[in-house]
Amino acid sequence: MNKKLLVLILSVIVASPSFSLDRAHFLELNKKGRGLGKNKDWPALRGVLIEIGKEMNGVTPTYALRMASVETHLGNKAVALRWMERYADMGLSYDLAGDDDLKPLLSEGGWKKIAAEMEHNTAPVMHADLVCTLPIADLMPEDLTFDKTSGAFIVSSIQHHSLYRVSLPKGSNKDCELRELPLEAQAKRWPVLAVSFDPVRKLVWMTSSAMPGFSGFPKEDDGRAALLAVDPRDAKVVRRFDMQSDAPAVLGDMSVSADGTVYVSDSIGGGVYRVPGTMDKTSLDKAKLEKIADGLFSPQTPVLAADGKRVFVSEYPLGIAVIDLTGAGRVTELRHPANVAVTGLDGMYLVGDSLIGIQNGTEPERIMRFRLNHAQTEIESAEVIEQSTPRLGEPTHAIAVDGWVYVSANVGWNKVDDHGNLKEGASFTQPVLLRFPVDGPERLPDKNAPATTR
């Protein structure tokens, strides 16, 4: 699910605490920090940030910016520059000229070197191939999957509240062919976000969510969400799970494992759920939507680790969480080098010991390959597959098919406002499918620049 919907991203102190940090305590610290920032009490705000830092296993990009901002206000410009160095070392860029808090650093002698590194970080990287454009400009294809029964891709549509089969182009045609699935009215009432194919039951799973504040559905539905299993042959709903909570929910991201277990996340409620696999369609009516973790800040795509005992979940403002399936939902973090940014991840997909990450919450937005150790307990290195290209736009999700990783890109989230309506003066452009080899950079064509390794 896209960053615009992540209402729990904290505006003043988004740090990266240990995933065992008490959520209520963290929110309390954040509330305190907001007040201190509003009152411009920089010494006290610095103290709150340091308190959060003691709980951290690493530094997120946003935390580095906040520390740099506070140190700048306190006149500690050399210290502020060191925080900006740490930020730039993650392969990211930031517009200091547009930030009144950090703008004083522009005149510092040490800034030029950091600025040059940030400029390098925004250089175009193009290691994916353009597969095709999708001919409906306002489609907003949030997620994609591959239906093995028909041999076609399926994409979800935010704007059209539907699913579409995608046939890849033949010959010199640049457009994919789209055919809408004839979903029942109950499945089209709200925007459709996540979609995944179930290899055991031969079903397509989809999520439908009345995202708070969005238009296009009855106002009384605000905050409701459902997980639906659909027969791809006739698009009939086989089973529906409605979120049973008084609090608003957005079932934004999902994956289905090889045994048919469905994993789905609630990005604003903070829970991760599953529907057990190894059931045929006739016994699906007995299945339940089980909560396997709670208290996360903004969980995105859940991905089952190779050992089947853990689930990786992109925690959008914090990093990558790891849910232990053998215990009582214990949540830890996936370790990573200090110069690898793992925040702002939307879609994730595991191929071998590589975790493909669609990072649309960083500057620049990018498609990443995170290389894990063989035990898949930590990230050892990372490289950029694609960034700063016009065709990339705002990417969202990925899936691997027949040796290729396919990515939905130029989705259009940056063209709509907080209500899902087209911004004034903006216009949709055609979304695209990109792809690159599963195997890694040794098979990547040498295009504009080598993949960035960090």
Side-chain angles (χ1 to χ4, degrees):
M1 197 187 83
N2 184 268
K3 60 191 174 186
K4 282 187 171 295
L5 305 178
L6 306 178
V7 297
L8 290 177
I9 292 181
L10 309 175
S11 59
V12 176
I13 314 174
V14 182
S16 179
S18 161
F19 284 95
S20 61
L21 177 67
D22 180 77
R23 178 183 172 122
H25 179 228
F26 184 62
L27 293 174
E28 180 184 351
L29 288 175
N30 181 70
K31 182 179 179 180
K32 181 179 179 180
R34 278 201 302 268
L36 294 171
K38 185 177 180 179
N39 295 329
K40 299 183 179 181
D41 188 345
W42 309 121
L45 178 54
R46 181 177 183 271
V48 170
L49 285 170
I50 290 173
E51 185 178 352
I52 290 177
K54 292 177 181 178
E55 303 286 343
M56 292 168 58
N57 291 325
V59 172
T60 68
T62 306
Y63 185 81
L65 291 176
R66 296 288 75 79
M67 286 299 297
S69 176
V70 169
E71 296 291 2
T72 300
H73 279 291
L74 291 172
N76 303 324
K77 294 183 180 180
V79 177
L81 286 174
R82 287 199 291 272
W83 281 108
M84 294 307 301
E85 286 175 353
R86 295 183 70 173
Y87 178 91
D89 195 39
M90 298 179 196
L92 305 178
S93 181
Y94 189 73
D95 178 19
L96 249 67
D99 188 324
D100 290 338
D101 293 327
L102 290 170
K103 191 182 297 184
L105 296 180
L106 292 172
S107 60
E108 293 297 301
W111 171 247
K112 290 185 179 180
K113 181 179 178 182
I114 301 172
E117 183 176 1
M118 286 190 178
E119 184 176 359
H120 172 75
N121 291 343
T122 62
V125 176
M126 187 184 294
H127 286 321
D129 296 320
L130 176 64
V131 177
C132 66
T133 55
L134 303 179
I136 302 176
D138 67 345
L139 187 69
M140 290 192 69
E142 169 66 10
D143 200 0
L144 74 166
T145 191
F146 187 74
D147 176 7
K148 294 181 180 179
T149 61
S150 66
F153 289 89
I154 294 178
V155 297
S156 60
S157 174
I158 297 291
Q159 292 290 338
H160 294 264
H161 299 191
S162 194
L163 296 175
Y164 289 79
R165 275 199 177 86
V166 180
S167 298
L168 301 187
K170 297 178 181 179
S172 60
N173 192 357
K174 296 182 179 180
D175 280 346
C176 282
E177 179 185 344
L178 293 178
R179 288 173 293 151
E180 186 175 5
L181 273 68
L183 295 174
E184 300 173 42
Q186 63 163 307
K188 295 190 64 174
R189 187 176 176 90
W190 310 318
V192 179
L193 285 86
V195 59
S196 289
F197 181 74
D198 184 335
V200 175
R201 305 179 185 95
K202 308 301 187 215
L203 295 174
V204 170
W205 290 84
M206 56 172 275
T207 64
S208 181
S209 296
M211 295 175 283
F214 258 52
S215 59
F217 50 80
K219 190 62 180 176
E220 60 267 24
D221 289 356
D222 223 38
R224 295 178 60 190
L227 169 68
L228 302 95
V230 174
D231 190 324
R233 297 170 300 178
D234 56 13
K236 298 297 182 184
V237 175
V238 176
R239 181 70 199 275
R240 177 185 178 114
F241 299 88
D242 281 280
M243 289 292 287
Q244 303 296 323
S245 173
D246 294 333
V250 173
L251 296 179
D253 293 286
M254 172 174 55
S255 67
V256 180
S257 65
D259 72 350
T261 299
V262 181
Y263 297 95
V264 61
S265 62
D266 175 5
S267 62
I268 65 174
V272 179
Y273 301 80
R274 71 180 170 195
V275 176
T278 65
M279 292 184 178
D280 59 30
K281 284 185 282 188
T282 59
S283 63
L284 189 56
D285 59 336
K286 301 177 183 177
K288 295 182 179 180
L289 186 62
E290 309 168 344
K291 181 179 287 188
I292 60 173
D294 200 4
L296 281 75
F297 286 89
S298 187
Q300 304 299 298
T301 305
V303 178
L304 186 67
D307 61 13
K309 299 177 181 179
R310 296 166 296 141
V311 172
F312 303 127
V313 182
S314 47
E315 260 276 61
Y316 204 84
L318 303 178
I320 301 175
V322 183
I323 302 171
D324 183 359
L325 298 178
T326 65
R330 188 172 69 98
V331 180
T332 56
E333 74 160 338
L334 184 64
R335 298 193 301 271
H336 58 89
N339 63 347
V340 172
V342 292
T343 59
L345 286 167
D346 190 356
M348 292 200 309
Y349 196 90
L350 186 66
V351 284
D353 288 332
S354 288
L355 192 59
I356 305 302
I358 310 303
Q359 202 164 30
N360 56 29
T362 56
E363 178 57 45
E365 298 181 17
R366 52 197 191 171
I367 303 171
M368 298 293 297
R369 182 190 298 275
F370 300 106
R371 295 193 177 276
L372 309 175
N373 62 350
H374 189 60
Q376 298 186 349
T377 56
E378 63 180 307
I379 294 171
E380 294 184 333
S381 64
E383 62 244 7
V384 178
I385 302 297
E386 183 105 2
Q387 71 174 26
S388 302
T389 60
R391 66 189 190 178
L392 183 63
E394 190 153 321
T396 50
H397 286 87
I399 187 173
V401 179
D402 294 336
W404 294 92
V405 177
Y406 290 81
V407 177
S408 53
N410 196 36
V411 170
W413 279 105
N414 55 331
K415 304 294 181 64
V416 299
D417 60 21
D418 293 339
H419 306 293
N421 299 319
L422 191 65
K423 293 177 181 177
E424 184 177 355
S427 60
F428 287 112
T429 54
Q430 288 184 326
V432 301
L433 285 185
L434 304 177
R435 74 176 187 180
F436 55 92
V438 163
D439 290 348
E442 64 275 9
R443 288 182 52 187
L444 290 174
D446 184 13
K447 293 190 176 179
N448 291 359
T452 303
T453 302
R454 293 191 174 272

mmCIF file of all heavy atoms in Angstrom, residues 99-130:
data_model
loop_
_atom_site.group_PDB
_atom_site.id
_atom_site.type_symbol
_atom_site.label_atom_id
_atom_site.label_comp_id
_atom_site.label_asym_id
_atom_site.label_seq_id
_atom_site.Cartn_x
_atom_site.Cartn_y
_atom_site.Cartn_z
ATOM 1 N N ASP A 99 14.020 23.218 3.065
ATOM 2 C CA ASP A 99 13.780 22.942 4.474
ATOM 3 C C ASP A 99 14.368 24.081 5.302
ATOM 4 O O ASP A 99 15.587 24.209 5.435
ATOM 5 C CB ASP A 99 14.437 21.608 4.855
ATOM 6 C CG ASP A 99 14.078 21.145 6.256
ATOM 7 O OD1 ASP A 99 13.939 22.000 7.148
ATOM 8 O OD2 ASP A 99 13.953 19.922 6.469
ATOM 9 N N ASP A 100 13.511 24.922 5.849
ATOM 10 C CA ASP A 100 13.985 26.084 6.605
ATOM 11 C C ASP A 100 14.821 25.691 7.810
ATOM 12 O O ASP A 100 15.713 26.446 8.230
ATOM 13 C CB ASP A 100 12.787 26.933 7.056
ATOM 14 C CG ASP A 100 12.102 27.638 5.897
ATOM 15 O OD1 ASP A 100 12.759 27.814 4.853
ATOM 16 O OD2 ASP A 100 10.915 27.994 6.038
ATOM 17 N N ASP A 101 14.553 24.523 8.396
ATOM 18 C CA ASP A 101 15.317 24.085 9.564
ATOM 19 C C ASP A 101 16.755 23.737 9.207
ATOM 20 O O ASP A 101 17.681 23.966 10.001
ATOM 21 C CB ASP A 101 14.647 22.877 10.215
ATOM 22 C CG ASP A 101 13.297 23.221 10.833
ATOM 23 O OD1 ASP A 101 13.151 24.349 11.311
ATOM 24 O OD2 ASP A 101 12.411 22.356 10.832
ATOM 25 N N LEU A 102 16.941 23.149 8.025
ATOM 26 C CA LEU A 102 18.272 22.672 7.637
ATOM 27 C C LEU A 102 18.988 23.608 6.664
ATOM 28 O O LEU A 102 20.182 23.424 6.395
ATOM 29 C CB LEU A 102 18.155 21.273 7.013
ATOM 30 C CG LEU A 102 17.789 20.159 7.991
ATOM 31 C CD1 LEU A 102 17.451 18.874 7.229
ATOM 32 C CD2 LEU A 102 18.912 19.893 8.977
ATOM 33 N N LYS A 103 18.288 24.585 6.148
ATOM 34 C CA LYS A 103 18.862 25.482 5.148
ATOM 35 C C LYS A 103 20.161 26.157 5.602
ATOM 36 O O LYS A 103 21.069 26.381 4.776
ATOM 37 C CB LYS A 103 17.833 26.546 4.772
ATOM 38 C CG LYS A 103 18.208 27.369 3.550
ATOM 39 C CD LYS A 103 17.165 28.435 3.255
ATOM 40 C CE LYS A 103 15.822 27.834 2.923
ATOM 41 N NZ LYS A 103 14.822 28.881 2.548
ATOM 42 N N PRO A 104 20.335 26.488 6.901
ATOM 43 C CA PRO A 104 21.606 27.107 7.321
ATOM 44 C C PRO A 104 22.843 26.274 7.015
ATOM 45 O O PRO A 104 23.958 26.809 6.947
ATOM 46 C CB PRO A 104 21.422 27.296 8.831
ATOM 47 C CG PRO A 104 19.943 27.425 9.018
ATOM 48 C CD PRO A 104 19.349 26.478 8.006
ATOM 49 N N LEU A 105 22.685 24.972 6.821
ATOM 50 C CA LEU A 105 23.841 24.117 6.530
ATOM 51 C C LEU A 105 24.396 24.354 5.133
ATOM 52 O O LEU A 105 25.537 23.966 4.841
ATOM 53 C CB LEU A 105 23.459 22.643 6.684
ATOM 54 C CG LEU A 105 23.057 22.177 8.090
ATOM 55 C CD1 LEU A 105 22.706 20.695 8.061
ATOM 56 C CD2 LEU A 105 24.165 22.446 9.098
ATOM 57 N N LEU A 106 23.614 24.974 4.259
ATOM 58 C CA LEU A 106 24.057 25.200 2.879
ATOM 59 C C LEU A 106 25.313 26.061 2.814
ATOM 60 O O LEU A 106 26.106 25.941 1.868
ATOM 61 C CB LEU A 106 22.936 25.861 2.069
ATOM 62 C CG LEU A 106 21.688 25.011 1.802
ATOM 63 C CD1 LEU A 106 20.592 25.860 1.164
ATOM 64 C CD2 LEU A 106 22.040 23.838 0.899
ATOM 65 N N SER A 107 25.504 26.931 3.789
ATOM 66 C CA SER A 107 26.660 27.831 3.773
ATOM 67 C C SER A 107 27.876 27.235 4.468
ATOM 68 O O SER A 107 28.943 27.860 4.492
ATOM 69 C CB SER A 107 26.291 29.166 4.442
ATOM 70 O OG SER A 107 25.889 28.965 5.791
ATOM 71 N N GLU A 108 27.732 26.052 5.019
ATOM 72 C CA GLU A 108 28.855 25.406 5.706
ATOM 73 C C GLU A 108 29.814 24.770 4.695
ATOM 74 O O GLU A 108 29.379 24.157 3.710
ATOM 75 C CB GLU A 108 28.339 24.344 6.675
ATOM 76 C CG GLU A 108 27.560 24.899 7.842
ATOM 77 C CD GLU A 108 28.407 25.792 8.722
ATOM 78 O OE1 GLU A 108 29.432 25.314 9.252
ATOM 79 O OE2 GLU A 108 28.044 26.978 8.884
ATOM 80 N N GLY A 109 31.086 24.893 4.962
ATOM 81 C CA GLY A 109 32.088 24.368 4.042
ATOM 82 C C GLY A 109 31.993 22.864 3.837
ATOM 83 O O GLY A 109 32.266 22.359 2.747
ATOM 84 N N GLY A 110 31.600 22.158 4.881
ATOM 85 C CA GLY A 110 31.518 20.703 4.758
ATOM 86 C C GLY A 110 30.323 20.214 3.981
ATOM 87 O O GLY A 110 30.220 19.006 3.704
ATOM 88 N N TRP A 111 29.420 21.111 3.625
ATOM 89 C CA TRP A 111 28.202 20.684 2.938
ATOM 90 C C TRP A 111 28.452 20.274 1.489
ATOM 91 O O TRP A 111 27.781 19.399 0.948
ATOM 92 C CB TRP A 111 27.148 21.782 2.985
ATOM 93 C CG TRP A 111 25.967 21.486 2.109
ATOM 94 C CD1 TRP A 111 25.579 22.144 0.985
ATOM 95 C CD2 TRP A 111 25.049 20.397 2.251
ATOM 96 N NE1 TRP A 111 24.479 21.553 0.421
ATOM 97 C CE2 TRP A 111 24.135 20.471 1.188
ATOM 98 C CE3 TRP A 111 24.921 19.361 3.183
ATOM 99 C CZ2 TRP A 111 23.105 19.565 1.027
ATOM 100 C CZ3 TRP A 111 23.887 18.454 3.031
ATOM 101 C CH2 TRP A 111 22.995 18.556 1.972
ATOM 102 N N LYS A 112 29.427 20.891 0.831
ATOM 103 C CA LYS A 112 29.621 20.655 -0.607
ATOM 104 C C LYS A 112 29.883 19.177 -0.915
ATOM 105 O O LYS A 112 29.365 18.632 -1.885
ATOM 106 C CB LYS A 112 30.762 21.515 -1.130
ATOM 107 C CG LYS A 112 30.428 23.000 -1.184
ATOM 108 C CD LYS A 112 31.551 23.806 -1.824
ATOM 109 C CE LYS A 112 31.193 25.277 -1.900
ATOM 110 N NZ LYS A 112 32.274 26.089 -2.529
ATOM 111 N N LYS A 113 30.688 18.542 -0.079
ATOM 112 C CA LYS A 113 30.985 17.133 -0.307
ATOM 113 C C LYS A 113 29.727 16.278 -0.153
ATOM 114 O O LYS A 113 29.478 15.356 -0.942
ATOM 115 C CB LYS A 113 32.059 16.666 0.667
ATOM 116 C CG LYS A 113 32.456 15.209 0.502
ATOM 117 C CD LYS A 113 33.541 14.827 1.501
ATOM 118 C CE LYS A 113 33.902 13.348 1.364
ATOM 119 N NZ LYS A 113 34.934 12.946 2.358
ATOM 120 N N ILE A 114 28.912 16.588 0.855
ATOM 121 C CA ILE A 114 27.665 15.839 1.073
ATOM 122 C C ILE A 114 26.709 16.082 -0.084
ATOM 123 O O ILE A 114 26.055 15.149 -0.574
ATOM 124 C CB ILE A 114 27.028 16.256 2.409
ATOM 125 C CG1 ILE A 114 27.994 15.994 3.557
ATOM 126 C CG2 ILE A 114 25.719 15.501 2.628
ATOM 127 C CD1 ILE A 114 27.530 16.558 4.889
ATOM 128 N N ALA A 115 26.636 17.333 -0.538
ATOM 129 C CA ALA A 115 25.746 17.668 -1.651
ATOM 130 C C ALA A 115 26.140 16.912 -2.916
ATOM 131 O O ALA A 115 25.278 16.444 -3.673
ATOM 132 C CB ALA A 115 25.769 19.170 -1.904
ATOM 133 N N ALA A 116 27.445 16.775 -3.138
ATOM 134 C CA ALA A 116 27.913 16.043 -4.316
ATOM 135 C C ALA A 116 27.524 14.571 -4.220
ATOM 136 O O ALA A 116 27.129 13.949 -5.227
ATOM 137 C CB ALA A 116 29.427 16.186 -4.450
ATOM 138 N N GLU A 117 27.624 14.003 -3.022
ATOM 139 C CA GLU A 117 27.228 12.608 -2.847
ATOM 140 C C GLU A 117 25.728 12.438 -3.076
ATOM 141 O O GLU A 117 25.290 11.481 -3.719
ATOM 142 C CB GLU A 117 27.598 12.107 -1.454
ATOM 143 C CG GLU A 117 27.267 10.633 -1.246
ATOM 144 C CD GLU A 117 27.717 10.095 0.096
ATOM 145 O OE1 GLU A 117 28.280 10.864 0.894
ATOM 146 O OE2 GLU A 117 27.506 8.885 0.347
ATOM 147 N N MET A 118 24.932 13.373 -2.566
ATOM 148 C CA MET A 118 23.489 13.291 -2.771
ATOM 149 C C MET A 118 23.129 13.410 -4.247
ATOM 150 O O MET A 118 22.218 12.736 -4.727
ATOM 151 C CB MET A 118 22.780 14.369 -1.960
ATOM 152 C CG MET A 118 22.737 14.092 -0.471
ATOM 153 S SD MET A 118 21.645 15.247 0.378
ATOM 154 C CE MET A 118 21.753 14.625 2.059
ATOM 155 N N GLU A 119 23.842 14.270 -4.962
ATOM 156 C CA GLU A 119 23.587 14.396 -6.397
ATOM 157 C C GLU A 119 23.896 13.080 -7.103
ATOM 158 O O GLU A 119 23.150 12.642 -7.991
ATOM 159 C CB GLU A 119 24.419 15.529 -6.987
ATOM 160 C CG GLU A 119 24.130 15.782 -8.458
ATOM 161 C CD GLU A 119 24.888 16.972 -9.014
ATOM 162 O OE1 GLU A 119 25.638 17.619 -8.245
ATOM 163 O OE2 GLU A 119 24.742 17.259 -10.215
ATOM 164 N N HIS A 120 24.989 12.447 -6.696
ATOM 165 C CA HIS A 120 25.330 11.132 -7.255
ATOM 166 C C HIS A 120 24.240 10.109 -6.923
ATOM 167 O O HIS A 120 23.903 9.253 -7.757
ATOM 168 C CB HIS A 120 26.669 10.658 -6.693
ATOM 169 C CG HIS A 120 27.009 9.247 -7.044
ATOM 170 N ND1 HIS A 120 27.442 8.860 -8.297
ATOM 171 C CD2 HIS A 120 26.954 8.102 -6.304
ATOM 172 C CE1 HIS A 120 27.644 7.545 -8.313
ATOM 173 N NE2 HIS A 120 27.355 7.067 -7.121
ATOM 174 N N ASN A 121 23.677 10.215 -5.727
ATOM 175 C CA ASN A 121 22.641 9.270 -5.304
ATOM 176 C C ASN A 121 21.369 9.364 -6.137
ATOM 177 O O ASN A 121 20.580 8.422 -6.151
ATOM 178 C CB ASN A 121 22.291 9.502 -3.830
ATOM 179 C CG ASN A 121 23.417 9.115 -2.894
ATOM 180 O OD1 ASN A 121 24.347 8.398 -3.266
ATOM 181 N ND2 ASN A 121 23.347 9.603 -1.661
ATOM 182 N N THR A 122 21.143 10.492 -6.775
ATOM 183 C CA THR A 122 19.929 10.663 -7.587
ATOM 184 C C THR A 122 20.159 10.344 -9.058
ATOM 185 O O THR A 122 19.220 10.437 -9.861
ATOM 186 C CB THR A 122 19.397 12.097 -7.473
ATOM 187 O OG1 THR A 122 20.379 13.015 -7.988
ATOM 188 C CG2 THR A 122 19.077 12.448 -6.032
ATOM 189 N N ALA A 123 21.375 9.969 -9.433
ATOM 190 C CA ALA A 123 21.660 9.670 -10.841
ATOM 191 C C ALA A 123 20.778 8.517 -11.328
ATOM 192 O O ALA A 123 20.522 7.564 -10.576
ATOM 193 C CB ALA A 123 23.125 9.312 -11.017
ATOM 194 N N PRO A 124 20.289 8.576 -12.558
ATOM 195 C CA PRO A 124 19.442 7.498 -13.068
ATOM 196 C C PRO A 124 20.152 6.157 -13.072
ATOM 197 O O PRO A 124 21.331 6.057 -13.419
ATOM 198 C CB PRO A 124 19.131 7.953 -14.501
ATOM 199 C CG PRO A 124 19.324 9.426 -14.493
ATOM 200 C CD PRO A 124 20.444 9.680 -13.527
ATOM 201 N N VAL A 125 19.448 5.136 -12.645
ATOM 202 C CA VAL A 125 19.908 3.750 -12.721
ATOM 203 C C VAL A 125 18.814 2.992 -13.459
ATOM 204 O O VAL A 125 17.645 3.054 -13.074
ATOM 205 C CB VAL A 125 20.136 3.137 -11.330
ATOM 206 C CG1 VAL A 125 20.510 1.662 -11.445
ATOM 207 C CG2 VAL A 125 21.225 3.903 -10.572
ATOM 208 N N MET A 126 19.182 2.295 -14.520
ATOM 209 C CA MET A 126 18.194 1.632 -15.362
ATOM 210 C C MET A 126 18.651 0.210 -15.666
ATOM 211 O O MET A 126 19.337 -0.056 -16.645
ATOM 212 C CB MET A 126 17.989 2.412 -16.661
ATOM 213 C CG MET A 126 16.847 1.892 -17.529
ATOM 214 S SD MET A 126 16.722 2.779 -19.124
ATOM 215 C CE MET A 126 16.248 4.409 -18.568
ATOM 216 N N HIS A 127 18.292 -0.721 -14.792
ATOM 217 C CA HIS A 127 18.656 -2.113 -14.975
ATOM 218 C C HIS A 127 17.429 -3.000 -15.172
ATOM 219 O O HIS A 127 17.519 -4.215 -15.034
ATOM 220 C CB HIS A 127 19.468 -2.615 -13.786
ATOM 221 C CG HIS A 127 20.877 -2.102 -13.781
ATOM 222 N ND1 HIS A 127 21.632 -1.973 -14.921
ATOM 223 C CD2 HIS A 127 21.660 -1.671 -12.751
ATOM 224 C CE1 HIS A 127 22.830 -1.504 -14.608
ATOM 225 N NE2 HIS A 127 22.876 -1.306 -13.304
ATOM 226 N N ALA A 128 16.297 -2.396 -15.440
ATOM 227 C CA ALA A 128 15.083 -3.154 -15.744
ATOM 228 C C ALA A 128 14.693 -2.888 -17.192
ATOM 229 O O ALA A 128 15.089 -1.878 -17.780
ATOM 230 C CB ALA A 128 13.947 -2.754 -14.810
ATOM 231 N N ASP A 129 13.936 -3.796 -17.748
ATOM 232 C CA ASP A 129 13.406 -3.628 -19.099
ATOM 233 C C ASP A 129 11.950 -3.201 -19.023
ATOM 234 O O ASP A 129 11.207 -3.629 -18.138
ATOM 235 C CB ASP A 129 13.492 -4.941 -19.887
ATOM 236 C CG ASP A 129 14.927 -5.390 -20.109
ATOM 237 O OD1 ASP A 129 15.771 -4.519 -20.380
ATOM 238 O OD2 ASP A 129 15.187 -6.599 -19.995
ATOM 239 N N LEU A 130 11.544 -2.379 -19.967
ATOM 240 C CA LEU A 130 10.137 -2.012 -20.081
ATOM 241 C C LEU A 130 9.394 -3.128 -20.799
ATOM 242 O O LEU A 130 9.705 -3.463 -21.942
ATOM 243 C CB LEU A 130 9.988 -0.704 -20.847
ATOM 244 C CG LEU A 130 8.552 -0.249 -21.136
ATOM 245 C CD1 LEU A 130 7.810 0.047 -19.843
ATOM 246 C CD2 LEU A 130 8.543 0.962 -22.054
#
